[in-house]
Amino acid sequence: MELPPTLLGTTTFVLHKVGVANRRALAERLAGETGLSLWEFAALATLDDFGPAAQREIGDRLGLDPSDMVRLMDGLMDGSLAVRERDPADRRRYRISLTTAGSDALVRARTVVTDVERETLAPLTDDERRLLHTLVTKLFSH
C-alpha cells in the first residue's frame, strides 16, 4: 500500500494504520492458535492481573459496555475458562474467577502475543521497542 505523503506525514494516521494491522494479526493468531478472541484474552489477563472481580469491575477496566460484558463472560464460562461465584465478602454479589483451564489458556495466549509483537515490531531494535512502548503508554495514559 502506498499512502499519500500527506497521510504518511500524519503521525496519528500512521499510528492508526499500524495499530489496525497489528490488531488484525494478533486477533487472527490468537483465534487460530488458542481459540480466544482479543476480548477474551483481555478479560483473562484482567482476572489474572487483578484477581477475582465483579463483572462490572472487569468491564470498567476494559472499557466495555455491560451488555458486551454479559456475552463475553458467558462465553468464558461456557468454555470453562472462568467461573461466577458468590462474593464471600458480600453474598449479594457475584464475582468472576479464572479456572485452571483459563489460566492455561492465558499462558498459551501470552506466548502468541509475545510472538506476534516480536514479528510485527521486527524492524525496530530492542531500544526502539522499549521507547515505542514508553511513548504509546504515555499517550494512552494522558
Side-chain angles (χ1 to χ4, degrees):
M1 171 187 335
E2 186 176 348
L3 289 176
T6 298
L7 297 179
L8 278 174
T10 307
T11 302
T12 52
F13 185 85
V14 175
L15 188 59
H16 166 74
K17 295 299 269 183
V18 168
V20 167
N22 290 327
R23 186 182 202 285
R24 185 176 300 119
L26 181 55
E28 288 173 3
R29 290 275 296 277
L30 273 174
E33 296 181 31
T34 69
L36 295 175
S37 71
L38 279 171
W39 285 115
E40 289 170 329
F41 166 70
L44 293 176
T46 300
L47 288 168
D48 190 56
D49 288 347
F50 295 103
Q55 188 168 299
R56 167 175 247 134
E57 183 181 344
I58 299 164
D60 289 347
R61 287 185 186 281
L62 296 175
L64 284 177
D65 183 83
S67 63
D68 293 330
M69 276 303 297
V70 169
R71 285 189 298 277
L72 178 60
M73 291 297 111
D74 286 348
L76 291 177
M77 285 176 245
D78 289 346
S80 299
L81 302 175
V83 294
R84 184 181 285 128
E85 55 198 6
R86 292 256 183 221
D87 185 338
D90 182 349
R91 301 294 296 165
R92 296 169 296 171
R93 290 180 23 160
Y94 285 90
R95 66 182 189 169
I96 310 295
S97 301
L98 273 179
T99 62
T100 301
S103 294
D104 293 345
L106 183 58
V107 168
R108 290 189 308 277
R110 282 185 170 139
T111 299
V112 171
V113 169
T114 299
D115 291 346
V116 171
E117 275 203 349
R118 185 178 56 255
E119 293 163 13
T120 59
L121 300 177
L124 304 177
T125 66
D126 288 342
D127 286 344
E128 288 170 332
R129 288 178 195 194
R130 283 189 289 278
L131 178 59
L132 176 63
H133 183 79
T134 298
L135 294 173
V136 296
T137 301
K138 182 176 181 178
L139 289 172
F140 180 75
S141 300
H142 185 271

